[in-house]
Amino acid sequence: MATVITNLPSSKAGSVGHEVPRSDARVKLSGKAQFTGDIRVPGMLYGAVLRSPLARARIRSVDLRAALALDGVVAILTGADLMDMDPYYGHALKDRPIVAIDEVRFVGEPVAVVAASSLSVAENAVNLIDVVYASESPVTSLQAALLPDSPLVHTKRARPGFAHGLGQLPDPEGNVCYRYGFSKGDVSNDFVQAAVVVEGEYRFPAVYQYALETHSVVADHRGDEVTIWASCQHPFLVRQEIADLFDLDLDRVRLIVPFLGGGFGSKSYTKMEPIAVAISRKAGRPVRVVNRVDESMVTTRRHNMVCRMRTAASATGELIAREADFWLDTGAYADNGPRVTATAGDAAPGPYRWRSVRVDGRCVYTNTAPAGSYRAFGAIHLQWIGELQVDEIARRLQVDPLEFRCRNVLPVGGEVRAGAKPLDADLVGDLRKVAAAIDWGQPRTEGRGVGLSVGLLAAGAHPVSMATVRLGADAGATVLVGTTEMGQGARTAMAQIAAEVLALPSEQVVVRGTDTQYTPYDRSTGASRSTTVAGKAVELAARDVLAALEETAAAKFEVPLDRLSARAGGVTDGERWISHQDLIRARFGFAGGELVGHGMVQPSRGSGSFAEGPVFWEVCLAAAEVAVDPVTGVVRVIRTASIADVGRAINPQLIRRQDEGATLQAIGNALFEEMRYDPEGMLLNDTLLDYRVPSALDVPERMTCVIVENGDGPGPFGAKGCGEGAFAGVTAAIATAVAAAGVPMQELPMTPERVWRRIQTLGHPDREGEAS
Amino acid sequence: MKLPQFELHRPTSVDAAARLLADLGDDGSAFSGGTELLLAMKLGLIKSRHLVDLKGLPELHGIELRPGGVWIGAGVTHAEIEASPAVRAILAPLAVMASQIANMRVRAVGTIGGNLCFADPNSDPATFLSAVGARLRTWVRGESREVAPEEFTVGPYQTVLEPGDLLLGVWVPTPPPSANVVHLRMKIHERPSVTVAAMVEASHGEVVAARLAVGSVGPKVLQVDLGEELRGLGGSAYSSRVGALVALLAGSIPLLPERPESPEYQRHLVRVLSTRALEVGLAAATSSAGRPAQNGGGEA
């Protein structure tokens, strides 16, 4: 029988805002967590990929006889197997074949895939495949790709992909595959009128996202359906792309995503899934394809870039105009390059009150590995450059960089870009907080420099997410949401959101991995969107369940609905209380049944093209203190502070971990990470011996994450996302700090040798490279 | 990337191990910690079908204080050196150097002998041992011989050993009481880009003997005895002579090709680190004369 209690249970502190321990900590620390590479399916074969040794070549012939003769080899896929389909994919531009067809465009491009009874047989067979190439002169740098007579990486006009969403494709223009720009005001005139102008050319390196887990897929294609276990961040977008590519019904493509061993954008959109599905289709059996690290390093990377920027200010200390031209190297296939270009364009002006702005970004093909998403893309490319120029202007005007920024940044509601959402954050407040956290204005030791940076990142991607919450007869809840847990703590945060609404302990809420057959649609896990967009869907789904509980309680207590609220695992009218279990029992009349709630987030207006975003502007704001050794050029990051302007902190601990992780990645990107290619397009540093990633030894003495809660986000309880802003913010703050220590750098990473060389040049003012 | 199949042999005497390796020739590899060998085999760089495990040879184990120095068996791990009271008693910087090799997992199984025999040019131990005048004891065609660390390495991944020859251990002499050992390195990537070790012996602020070893930049360790050049010098005369000698050395030291850092910058680092090591060496030797004066290693 239902028990009604009149002695109300204490309203234990809610879930949201609390440092709830990660729900996945135990399984991960005990080694029990399942990743894609752990999955074994009955009858499964092992795949190995033959990759091109050349950056640009025609394929003359492929001889498979010796490989096929090897005991244990079941099937080998080559371009010749793809003649019965349109084998090109790419969510932005449909420019990439599943495996090379007639030509190769980068070192590492898949040419053939072997499926065999074991990995060693598959690898041996790969070595027995005889391919004859006719090598052509490759285009391996931006400079070469932009020459008027440069060979074209693609000779056919690109077709838009299924998730293009970036407006009209530009007319073909050499190797430029996408262009994004805008302008306002009279830039030329403002530069003529300006009292101070700073300009320069800047370089940003190609870097690898370096998730610990490499790209991993198990695909089982049989008849007119396919099941895929994959380490992917966006299962629903991969499902759509696979369905298009293999001409299958959407509901016949099933993506199952266990835990990811890190993503950072490297597993955004489609990566190794088409290859795995194609070889499984040919073999007629499930096939597992798991990249080695060196293979993942040519599967995706961050765009290297060249940028020319100039910034103008008045004599009275107002920023008035900025121009930015930049060229992003997207490698042999566009991947997410067009979106990266657009986001970089939006970040180029920086959050200031410009009279005039002109931005022109190009996404350029070269014969190198394709470049795609990586945490804070676009903002990280441009923010450090703009902020170095802001600092240089402040220096010449003899104004404190903090005060200079506070005077010039956009106010709340200011126009960031015409047609986009107005600024939804208090940047002056954030600047003052980060300055306090780094003891701004205090005297510093010789050789030290302190820098600030502020920027904005268009976040949230396309706001389409659904969620389902099921409340069982035992009052345990299950959340079905398509967010991928890749280390960020999404499952914990989602559980907290549902727990808060239903007044349950968060341990009583289970969140599992995505299975597209059962989990409702979610666009993607990236762009700092999950807590905000998918989290909102979870909140709405939980409220849907609560509404049903309250409906039953209203009948039981004979009170209107507005008198009821959730409390301590039940519902109360302020005087009486009844548990969720008892309400479910009362509703269904026996000890069974469940309540199912649905939540849906959709764009509030328009068709979802780029001009209508973003969901929110992610604040990229940080400070850093560095020590520069003038003799060796070694830069050490002593302290950092970052702002997590999150609206409402669902889990402060997870937010701090996000900013700490981003800070470490920023230190790598700013100081030492760089993919080096030889002139023939071969990646020279594809192991951890030569490609250095940040380690525990690079952790600054102090990292402060200042959480700002203004309740101004569109997500659950006023939340908005975080986790990417610190990457762009800290990278730029390290650059401005090194400049403050006396060494303005125009190229990342700021390796010891580059800093040392710059110091040599600065010692001889006549040799100084930077224009003024 | 899987380890290919191989046959594992476990001899129990130096003689048996040496005979086995001589018979196997290029088809066999000596195996101890495996931290370099197994990786190279996974990458297909070494294709030995037979591994001869040396861990069962008692002669290769143990650290022993003996009159005039310390004996370290070739099979002693870096972690054992790091923790050894005997090593710390006579040459603490050696323990510090060992504590900075690679990472804890490598130090736990990787051996000093394996490190020297693999002869990776970007490595600290050979440089350090060269500066302190260590001697390597080898087993060559049934005879025990002695060789200096800088002579042991012929070039990158190459030593004087032929198939069937073994490294038995390292003899590290106790430095003179008024000597100081300084080890400095700079790591830009995972392995050191420049390693410098200096031993300076002084009396009343003036140099009695000085030895400098520079590694990780060239195909093999370069060791120079600066005793004659620096003897009797101290103060600014010492500094200016060190400056000139180090500039000469940095300008002429052979460099490995195709490094991420330019030759100009590598030579600059050699000059900076060598100068620092020799300056600190003399200063510390002077300040602590009469005691076993030793200086720890460090990152530049």
Side-chain angles (χ1 to χ4, degrees), chain A residues 699-734:
Chain A
V699 176
E701 287 166 20
R702 218 167 91 193
M703 291 187 282
T704 309
C705 167
V706 183
I707 297 176
V708 178
E709 295 185 88
N710 294 335
D712 48 8
F717 313 102
K720 51 185 171 175
C722 68
E724 305 203 37
F727 201 161
V730 173
T731 301
I734 293 171

mmCIF file of all heavy atoms in Angstrom, chain A residues 699-734:
data_model
loop_
_atom_site.group_PDB
_atom_site.id
_atom_site.type_symbol
_atom_site.label_atom_id
_atom_site.label_comp_id
_atom_site.label_asym_id
_atom_site.label_seq_id
_atom_site.Cartn_x
_atom_site.Cartn_y
_atom_site.Cartn_z
ATOM 1 N N VAL A 699 53.118 20.151 -15.822
ATOM 2 C CA VAL A 699 52.034 20.787 -15.068
ATOM 3 C C VAL A 699 52.581 22.039 -14.361
ATOM 4 O O VAL A 699 53.609 21.970 -13.696
ATOM 5 C CB VAL A 699 51.448 19.805 -14.029
ATOM 6 C CG1 VAL A 699 50.391 20.490 -13.174
ATOM 7 C CG2 VAL A 699 50.861 18.587 -14.726
ATOM 8 N N PRO A 700 51.917 23.185 -14.541
ATOM 9 C CA PRO A 700 52.393 24.400 -13.872
ATOM 10 C C PRO A 700 52.324 24.254 -12.345
ATOM 11 O O PRO A 700 51.605 23.395 -11.829
ATOM 12 C CB PRO A 700 51.397 25.476 -14.333
ATOM 13 C CG PRO A 700 50.703 24.917 -15.517
ATOM 14 C CD PRO A 700 50.724 23.434 -15.366
ATOM 15 N N GLU A 701 53.085 25.124 -11.664
ATOM 16 C CA GLU A 701 53.075 25.070 -10.204
ATOM 17 C C GLU A 701 51.661 25.290 -9.661
ATOM 18 O O GLU A 701 51.275 24.750 -8.644
ATOM 19 C CB GLU A 701 54.012 26.144 -9.647
ATOM 20 C CG GLU A 701 55.474 25.789 -9.849
ATOM 21 C CD GLU A 701 56.410 26.983 -9.610
ATOM 22 O OE1 GLU A 701 56.002 27.954 -8.953
ATOM 23 O OE2 GLU A 701 57.545 26.931 -10.118
ATOM 24 N N ARG A 702 50.909 26.121 -10.385
ATOM 25 C CA ARG A 702 49.534 26.379 -9.941
ATOM 26 C C ARG A 702 48.634 26.554 -11.153
ATOM 27 O O ARG A 702 48.976 27.297 -12.070
ATOM 28 C CB ARG A 702 49.501 27.638 -9.084
ATOM 29 C CG ARG A 702 48.539 27.531 -7.920
ATOM 30 C CD ARG A 702 48.773 28.645 -6.924
ATOM 31 N NE ARG A 702 47.949 29.796 -7.237
ATOM 32 C CZ ARG A 702 48.133 30.996 -6.696
ATOM 33 N NH1 ARG A 702 49.133 31.208 -5.860
ATOM 34 N NH2 ARG A 702 47.340 31.997 -6.994
ATOM 35 N N MET A 703 47.508 25.873 -11.144
ATOM 36 C CA MET A 703 46.483 26.080 -12.168
ATOM 37 C C MET A 703 45.198 26.447 -11.445
ATOM 38 O O MET A 703 44.709 25.673 -10.623
ATOM 39 C CB MET A 703 46.224 24.796 -12.956
ATOM 40 C CG MET A 703 47.347 24.359 -13.862
ATOM 41 S SD MET A 703 46.838 22.951 -14.891
ATOM 42 C CE MET A 703 46.968 21.608 -13.743
ATOM 43 N N THR A 704 44.682 27.614 -11.723
ATOM 44 C CA THR A 704 43.456 28.038 -11.056
ATOM 45 C C THR A 704 42.331 28.075 -12.083
ATOM 46 O O THR A 704 42.494 28.646 -13.153
ATOM 47 C CB THR A 704 43.630 29.453 -10.467
ATOM 48 O OG1 THR A 704 44.827 29.467 -9.703
ATOM 49 C CG2 THR A 704 42.452 29.836 -9.594
ATOM 50 N N CYS A 705 41.238 27.451 -11.759
ATOM 51 C CA CYS A 705 40.054 27.536 -12.617
ATOM 52 C C CYS A 705 39.011 28.337 -11.853
ATOM 53 O O CYS A 705 38.562 27.929 -10.788
ATOM 54 C CB CYS A 705 39.543 26.134 -12.933
ATOM 55 S SG CYS A 705 37.906 26.110 -13.670
ATOM 56 N N VAL A 706 38.684 29.513 -12.383
ATOM 57 C CA VAL A 706 37.690 30.362 -11.729
ATOM 58 C C VAL A 706 36.331 30.059 -12.359
ATOM 59 O O VAL A 706 36.121 30.305 -13.546
ATOM 60 C CB VAL A 706 38.024 31.859 -11.917
ATOM 61 C CG1 VAL A 706 37.020 32.721 -11.174
ATOM 62 C CG2 VAL A 706 39.446 32.154 -11.471
ATOM 63 N N ILE A 707 35.444 29.502 -11.574
ATOM 64 C CA ILE A 707 34.113 29.167 -12.099
ATOM 65 C C ILE A 707 33.184 30.362 -11.906
ATOM 66 O O ILE A 707 33.045 30.883 -10.796
ATOM 67 C CB ILE A 707 33.559 27.922 -11.381
ATOM 68 C CG1 ILE A 707 34.467 26.714 -11.681
ATOM 69 C CG2 ILE A 707 32.129 27.638 -11.826
ATOM 70 C CD1 ILE A 707 34.088 25.447 -10.949
ATOM 71 N N VAL A 708 32.612 30.825 -13.009
ATOM 72 C CA VAL A 708 31.711 31.979 -12.959
ATOM 73 C C VAL A 708 30.291 31.487 -13.204
ATOM 74 O O VAL A 708 30.020 30.824 -14.206
ATOM 75 C CB VAL A 708 32.110 33.021 -14.032
ATOM 76 C CG1 VAL A 708 31.148 34.192 -14.011
ATOM 77 C CG2 VAL A 708 33.539 33.487 -13.813
ATOM 78 N N GLU A 709 29.406 31.797 -12.255
ATOM 79 C CA GLU A 709 28.019 31.338 -12.378
ATOM 80 C C GLU A 709 27.068 32.523 -12.403
ATOM 81 O O GLU A 709 26.652 33.021 -11.365
ATOM 82 C CB GLU A 709 27.676 30.406 -11.212
ATOM 83 C CG GLU A 709 28.474 29.113 -11.232
ATOM 84 C CD GLU A 709 28.038 28.150 -10.139
ATOM 85 O OE1 GLU A 709 27.122 27.368 -10.372
ATOM 86 O OE2 GLU A 709 28.631 28.215 -9.046
ATOM 87 N N ASN A 710 26.776 32.986 -13.626
ATOM 88 C CA ASN A 710 25.835 34.094 -13.770
ATOM 89 C C ASN A 710 24.439 33.624 -14.171
ATOM 90 O O ASN A 710 23.561 34.442 -14.422
ATOM 91 C CB ASN A 710 26.350 35.112 -14.806
ATOM 92 C CG ASN A 710 27.631 35.813 -14.324
ATOM 93 O OD1 ASN A 710 27.868 35.901 -13.112
ATOM 94 N ND2 ASN A 710 28.445 36.276 -15.245
ATOM 95 N N GLY A 711 24.258 32.309 -14.275
ATOM 96 C CA GLY A 711 22.943 31.775 -14.631
ATOM 97 C C GLY A 711 22.450 32.221 -15.994
ATOM 98 O O GLY A 711 21.250 32.277 -16.249
ATOM 99 N N ASP A 712 23.395 32.550 -16.897
ATOM 100 C CA ASP A 712 22.989 33.138 -18.175
ATOM 101 C C ASP A 712 23.077 32.170 -19.350
ATOM 102 O O ASP A 712 23.108 32.590 -20.502
ATOM 103 C CB ASP A 712 23.831 34.397 -18.457
ATOM 104 C CG ASP A 712 25.335 34.164 -18.238
ATOM 105 O OD1 ASP A 712 25.730 32.992 -18.019
ATOM 106 O OD2 ASP A 712 26.101 35.135 -18.274
ATOM 107 N N GLY A 713 23.131 30.861 -19.083
ATOM 108 C CA GLY A 713 23.226 29.900 -20.186
ATOM 109 C C GLY A 713 21.861 29.362 -20.599
ATOM 110 O O GLY A 713 20.917 29.395 -19.814
ATOM 111 N N PRO A 714 21.769 28.837 -21.817
ATOM 112 C CA PRO A 714 20.500 28.278 -22.297
ATOM 113 C C PRO A 714 20.279 26.829 -21.858
ATOM 114 O O PRO A 714 19.244 26.246 -22.160
ATOM 115 C CB PRO A 714 20.651 28.351 -23.817
ATOM 116 C CG PRO A 714 22.122 28.234 -24.065
ATOM 117 C CD PRO A 714 22.811 28.849 -22.864
ATOM 118 N N GLY A 715 21.216 26.263 -21.133
ATOM 119 C CA GLY A 715 21.132 24.853 -20.750
ATOM 120 C C GLY A 715 20.348 24.663 -19.468
ATOM 121 O O GLY A 715 19.709 25.585 -18.954
ATOM 122 N N PRO A 716 20.408 23.452 -18.914
ATOM 123 C CA PRO A 716 19.657 23.145 -17.700
ATOM 124 C C PRO A 716 20.111 24.021 -16.529
ATOM 125 O O PRO A 716 21.310 24.211 -16.332
ATOM 126 C CB PRO A 716 19.984 21.668 -17.442
ATOM 127 C CG PRO A 716 21.239 21.403 -18.223
ATOM 128 C CD PRO A 716 21.208 22.323 -19.399
ATOM 129 N N PHE A 717 19.165 24.574 -15.816
ATOM 130 C CA PHE A 717 19.446 25.391 -14.625
ATOM 131 C C PHE A 717 20.329 26.604 -14.950
ATOM 132 O O PHE A 717 21.090 27.071 -14.113
ATOM 133 C CB PHE A 717 20.068 24.545 -13.505
ATOM 134 C CG PHE A 717 19.321 23.260 -13.278
ATOM 135 C CD1 PHE A 717 19.795 22.058 -13.771
ATOM 136 C CD2 PHE A 717 18.101 23.274 -12.611
ATOM 137 C CE1 PHE A 717 19.081 20.872 -13.609
ATOM 138 C CE2 PHE A 717 17.385 22.099 -12.435
ATOM 139 C CZ PHE A 717 17.869 20.902 -12.928
ATOM 140 N N GLY A 718 20.281 27.070 -16.200
ATOM 141 C CA GLY A 718 21.068 28.245 -16.595
ATOM 142 C C GLY A 718 22.495 27.911 -16.973
ATOM 143 O O GLY A 718 23.338 28.797 -17.092
ATOM 144 N N ALA A 719 22.776 26.624 -17.204
ATOM 145 C CA ALA A 719 24.154 26.208 -17.513
ATOM 146 C C ALA A 719 24.505 26.472 -18.976
ATOM 147 O O ALA A 719 23.636 26.536 -19.845
ATOM 148 C CB ALA A 719 24.325 24.713 -17.229
ATOM 149 N N LYS A 720 25.796 26.643 -19.215
ATOM 150 C CA LYS A 720 26.336 26.599 -20.572
ATOM 151 C C LYS A 720 27.671 25.868 -20.531
ATOM 152 O O LYS A 720 28.246 25.684 -19.462
ATOM 153 C CB LYS A 720 26.460 28.005 -21.172
ATOM 154 C CG LYS A 720 27.189 29.016 -20.321
ATOM 155 C CD LYS A 720 27.140 30.405 -20.971
ATOM 156 C CE LYS A 720 27.676 31.460 -20.024
ATOM 157 N NZ LYS A 720 27.781 32.789 -20.607
ATOM 158 N N GLY A 721 28.139 25.485 -21.680
ATOM 159 C CA GLY A 721 29.256 24.543 -21.748
ATOM 160 C C GLY A 721 30.603 25.144 -21.413
ATOM 161 O O GLY A 721 30.766 26.356 -21.285
ATOM 162 N N CYS A 722 31.566 24.258 -21.272
ATOM 163 C CA CYS A 722 32.935 24.688 -21.010
ATOM 164 C C CYS A 722 33.862 23.597 -21.538
ATOM 165 O O CYS A 722 33.415 22.620 -22.112
ATOM 166 C CB CYS A 722 33.162 24.894 -19.514
ATOM 167 S SG CYS A 722 33.119 23.358 -18.583
ATOM 168 N N GLY A 723 35.146 23.797 -21.328
ATOM 169 C CA GLY A 723 36.093 22.728 -21.663
ATOM 170 C C GLY A 723 36.938 23.028 -22.877
ATOM 171 O O GLY A 723 38.001 22.456 -23.062
ATOM 172 N N GLU A 724 36.453 23.891 -23.760
ATOM 173 C CA GLU A 724 37.238 24.245 -24.928
ATOM 174 C C GLU A 724 37.851 25.630 -24.765
ATOM 175 O O GLU A 724 38.955 25.908 -25.223
ATOM 176 C CB GLU A 724 36.383 24.200 -26.196
ATOM 177 C CG GLU A 724 35.712 22.860 -26.375
ATOM 178 C CD GLU A 724 35.328 22.550 -27.806
ATOM 179 O OE1 GLU A 724 36.080 22.899 -28.724
ATOM 180 O OE2 GLU A 724 34.259 21.955 -28.006
ATOM 181 N N GLY A 725 37.102 26.515 -24.107
ATOM 182 C CA GLY A 725 37.544 27.905 -23.965
ATOM 183 C C GLY A 725 38.932 28.028 -23.378
ATOM 184 O O GLY A 725 39.756 28.820 -23.843
ATOM 185 N N ALA A 726 39.205 27.212 -22.358
ATOM 186 C CA ALA A 726 40.515 27.308 -21.699
ATOM 187 C C ALA A 726 41.647 26.963 -22.666
ATOM 188 O O ALA A 726 42.760 27.487 -22.538
ATOM 189 C CB ALA A 726 40.561 26.402 -20.479
ATOM 190 N N PHE A 727 41.377 26.084 -23.642
ATOM 191 C CA PHE A 727 42.435 25.682 -24.578
ATOM 192 C C PHE A 727 42.889 26.894 -25.403
ATOM 193 O O PHE A 727 44.077 27.206 -25.501
ATOM 194 C CB PHE A 727 41.908 24.568 -25.483
ATOM 195 C CG PHE A 727 42.965 23.725 -26.144
ATOM 196 C CD1 PHE A 727 42.642 22.473 -26.645
ATOM 197 C CD2 PHE A 727 44.279 24.160 -26.258
ATOM 198 C CE1 PHE A 727 43.596 21.670 -27.256
ATOM 199 C CE2 PHE A 727 45.243 23.364 -26.879
ATOM 200 C CZ PHE A 727 44.898 22.125 -27.379
ATOM 201 N N ALA A 728 41.904 27.611 -25.965
ATOM 202 C CA ALA A 728 42.252 28.806 -26.751
ATOM 203 C C ALA A 728 42.789 29.899 -25.838
ATOM 204 O O ALA A 728 43.773 30.574 -26.152
ATOM 205 C CB ALA A 728 41.028 29.296 -27.512
ATOM 206 N N GLY A 729 42.145 30.063 -24.677
ATOM 207 C CA GLY A 729 42.516 31.133 -23.754
ATOM 208 C C GLY A 729 43.919 30.967 -23.206
ATOM 209 O O GLY A 729 44.713 31.916 -23.195
ATOM 210 N N VAL A 730 44.247 29.763 -22.744
ATOM 211 C CA VAL A 730 45.567 29.551 -22.138
ATOM 212 C C VAL A 730 46.667 29.623 -23.206
ATOM 213 O O VAL A 730 47.737 30.191 -22.969
ATOM 214 C CB VAL A 730 45.618 28.211 -21.363
ATOM 215 C CG1 VAL A 730 47.032 27.909 -20.894
ATOM 216 C CG2 VAL A 730 44.663 28.244 -20.178
ATOM 217 N N THR A 731 46.409 29.058 -24.385
ATOM 218 C CA THR A 731 47.409 29.141 -25.463
ATOM 219 C C THR A 731 47.756 30.608 -25.735
ATOM 220 O O THR A 731 48.936 30.984 -25.818
ATOM 221 C CB THR A 731 46.869 28.474 -26.748
ATOM 222 O OG1 THR A 731 46.559 27.114 -26.456
ATOM 223 C CG2 THR A 731 47.883 28.532 -27.871
ATOM 224 N N ALA A 732 46.718 31.419 -25.867
ATOM 225 C CA ALA A 732 46.953 32.840 -26.149
ATOM 226 C C ALA A 732 47.607 33.538 -24.957
ATOM 227 O O ALA A 732 48.471 34.410 -25.135
ATOM 228 C CB ALA A 732 45.639 33.528 -26.515
ATOM 229 N N ALA A 733 47.229 33.157 -23.743
ATOM 230 C CA ALA A 733 47.822 33.788 -22.560
ATOM 231 C C ALA A 733 49.311 33.438 -22.441
ATOM 232 O O ALA A 733 50.116 34.261 -22.011
ATOM 233 C CB ALA A 733 47.071 33.365 -21.300
ATOM 234 N N ILE A 734 49.670 32.223 -22.826
ATOM 235 C CA ILE A 734 51.097 31.865 -22.810
ATOM 236 C C ILE A 734 51.840 32.726 -23.832
ATOM 237 O O ILE A 734 52.929 33.248 -23.555
ATOM 238 C CB ILE A 734 51.292 30.356 -23.095
ATOM 239 C CG1 ILE A 734 50.723 29.520 -21.947
ATOM 240 C CG2 ILE A 734 52.775 30.023 -23.287
ATOM 241 C CD1 ILE A 734 50.674 28.018 -22.231
#
